[in-house]
Amino acid sequence: MKRRGSRGSVYRCPVCGAEITALARRHGRFEPRCCNVKMAKDPRRLAIYVCPVCGAEIGMLTGAPRGFEPRCCNVAMQREAA
């Protein structure tokens, strides 16, 4: 089984409710902290889209990816596995 990285993962602070996401792939372990406590990993993941022309990336925070067709450089962006 291929291990999923942290890219697109959503983390939530159990104290203040702040939410963050990891947008770039990196080596090592990603363990964010907020309010001096470890942030909890949320089961949801962002849908990430990449422009095949310029490489711009966007992440959908809420909503249904079905029917969402972002465009950049006048072409359709491609959904990428998070």
Side-chain angles (χ1 to χ4, degrees), residues 51-80:
C51 175
V53 177
C54 72
E57 297 180 336
I58 62 170
M60 178 184 280
L61 300 172
T62 58
R66 212 172 326 160
F68 179 63
E69 298 176 9
R71 298 182 67 81
C72 182
C73 297
N74 206 30
V75 297
M77 296 181 85
Q78 299 170 347
R79 183 161 180 189
E80 191 173 273

Side-chain angles (χ1 to χ4, degrees), residues 8-12 19-22 40-46:
S9 296
V10 176
Y11 296 84
R12 181 168 172 52
E19 292 183 320
I20 64 167
T21 187
K41 192 169 184 179
D42 195 292
R44 64 191 161 130
R45 290 178 76 88
L46 294 184

Side-chain angles (χ1 to χ4, degrees), residues 5-55:
S6 60
R7 185 169 190 235
S9 296
V10 176
Y11 296 84
R12 181 168 172 52
C13 176
V15 177
C16 71
E19 292 183 320
I20 64 167
T21 187
L23 295 177
R25 291 184 180 100
R26 294 284 181 247
H27 297 289
R29 195 171 187 151
F30 183 63
E31 294 180 349
R33 295 180 66 83
C34 184
C35 298
N36 206 29
V37 296
K38 184 177 177 180
M39 295 182 85
K41 192 169 184 179
D42 195 292
R44 64 191 161 130
R45 290 178 76 88
L46 294 184
I48 297 175
Y49 295 83
V50 179
C51 175
V53 177
C54 72

